[in-house]
Amino acid sequence: MPAPETIIRLEPGAVVLLDQTLLPAQAVERRCGDVETLIAAIRALAVRGAPLLGVAGAMGVALAAARAEEGDGWRARVEADAARIAAARPTAVNLAVGVAAGLAAADGRWDDPSAVRDATAERARAFHAEEVERCRLIGAHGAALFGPGARICTICNAGALATGGYGTALGVVRRLHEDGAAPFVWVPETRPLLQGARLTAYELGQAGVDHRVLPDGALAGLFREGLVDGVVVGADRIAANGDTANKVGTYGLAVLAHHHGVPFHVAAPRTTIDPGMPDGAAIPIEERPREEVAGPAPGTVPATSPVRNPAFDVTPAALIDAIIVEDGVLRAPFAFGA
Ligand code: MRU
């Protein structure tokens, strides 16, 4: 597993992250020495995955505190930077949760910039460690849902890379592998940005977990042939009623699982639950640029054809058998209070 501090870390005056746009071909660190560079890295998906975005948000507050010019309006400048970081991507609630955790560390200290810098840095590093620990617990709870040799389907990347260490959906797989249960994983490519083919396959290969990458369109056939024992996916935001936003294609996977009588599980830390959203209809879904689908090269999609590129979709709670969180396995009906 990539070590947590190689995925993201806070250095004095910089957030340093593994650039996930270049994996698996190259493992290159990207140094974000100011808030603008961090926001650009978030938008470009150099740093991505809901829990990791939360860690980036908390570290972003520490970065803002380190970089903001002192003097009149210092607090307002840090808070404005924090608000812009939180808004860099709309769907994963963890980003705003991480920023809020960072800002909370500054409470009662605003008239002492040096104290704010220390407290926000300490909170960001602790937040990272806590998120990794939550993933380990999720892995242990989730592993109990699968038998030896289970053929598990996931989507996108909900592994160490997406969480800062260990993983949620892949944390379950990782724990099964550690326990000697020999899991097998179906890995849909996850177009258009290929988080499955590039990142999940990379992590599973490093861990020595047997897996196959397949085109997204091949999923339905797998289920019809009876080759999937269970599905486990991550989440970007879980509404109060359990409706879950995750990578586009997750809803289709849930419909397939339901149709074929295959259990469908969501694995996520409680930092991904947004009790303020009554149901999935309220969750903002990010629209990504045309180029990700149509390509920068001419001839991929006719220039006259408009493109739609939603990064996420919402799976209704009715299609979810269990939500695996750090304190256990929750079953329907789901009800997350504020
Ligand atoms: O657009 P991305 O790559 O940030 O999307 C990531 C996902 O959809 C993950 O499944 C989700 O964030 C959970 S990560 C543990």
Side-chain angles (χ1 to χ4, degrees), residues 45 48-51 89 156-158 162-163 168 195 235-236 246-247 312:
L45 273 58
R48 50 149 294 282
R89 290 188 76 193
C156 193
N157 171 262
T163 57
T168 52
Q195 289 96 328
D236 283 83
N246 190 50
K247 180 53 56 193
F312 303 96

Side-chain angles (χ1 to χ4, degrees), residues 118-163:
D118 289 348
T120 53
E122 190 182 328
R123 183 70 195 101
R125 292 193 181 101
F127 190 83
H128 185 190
E130 289 158 15
E131 209 63 315
V132 177
E133 181 53 26
R134 283 190 273 268
C135 285
R136 287 190 186 279
L137 296 168
I138 288 167
H141 293 304
L145 299 173
F146 295 92
R151 298 161 303 173
I152 298 170
C153 187
T154 188
I155 190 170
C156 193
N157 171 262
L161 291 167
T163 57

Side-chain angles (χ1 to χ4, degrees), residues 151-253:
R151 298 161 303 173
I152 298 170
C153 187
T154 188
I155 190 170
C156 193
N157 171 262
L161 291 167
T163 57
Y166 208 78
T168 52
L170 289 193
V172 173
V173 170
R174 205 179 282 285
R175 178 59 190 259
L176 286 165
H177 181 67
E178 288 166 3
D179 290 348
F184 171 89
V185 186
W186 294 111
V187 182
E189 299 175 285
T190 317
R191 286 197 170 263
L193 296 181
L194 303 175
Q195 289 96 328
R198 294 187 302 107
L199 307 176
T200 293
Y202 173 73
E203 283 196 40
L204 293 174
Q206 278 199 334
V209 175
D210 194 10
H211 63 282
R212 297 287 181 283
V213 178
L214 71 161
D216 298 327
L219 279 175
L222 279 188
F223 282 88
R224 192 178 52 74
E225 289 180 55
L227 298 175
V228 184
D229 299 314
V231 179
V232 59
V233 302
D236 283 83
R237 191 185 298 239
I238 300 173
N241 72 343
D243 289 356
T244 294
N246 190 50
K247 180 53 56 193
V248 68
T250 303
Y251 175 41
L253 192 50

Side-chain angles (χ1 to χ4, degrees), residues 40-134:
I42 291 171
R43 292 206 172 117
L45 273 58
V47 57
R48 50 149 294 282
L52 184 62
L53 287 171
V55 176
M59 291 186 176
V61 172
L63 177 64
R67 289 298 184 195
E69 195 185 318
E70 279 191 38
D72 275 359
W74 180 77
R75 173 180 181 168
R77 283 191 285 282
V78 175
E79 288 179 331
D81 281 347
R84 286 185 309 112
I85 295 167
R89 290 188 76 193
T91 304
V93 70
N94 304 62
L95 181 55
V97 167
V99 167
L103 285 175
D107 276 353
R109 299 184 165 93
W110 283 108
D111 46 11
D112 182 351
S114 156
V116 168
R117 284 193 281 271
D118 289 348
T120 53
E122 190 182 328
R123 183 70 195 101
R125 292 193 181 101
F127 190 83
H128 185 190
E130 289 158 15
E131 209 63 315
V132 177
E133 181 53 26
R134 283 190 273 268

Side-chain angles (χ1 to χ4, degrees), residues 10 38 43 66 85 118 122 130 141 170 202 272-273 279-280 296-297 313 316 323 327 330:
L10 184 65
L38 178 64
R43 292 206 172 117
I85 295 167
D118 289 348
E122 190 182 328
E130 289 158 15
H141 293 304
L170 289 193
Y202 173 73
T272 304
I273 296 170
D279 57 38
D313 59 24
I323 298 180
D327 47 299
L330 312 177

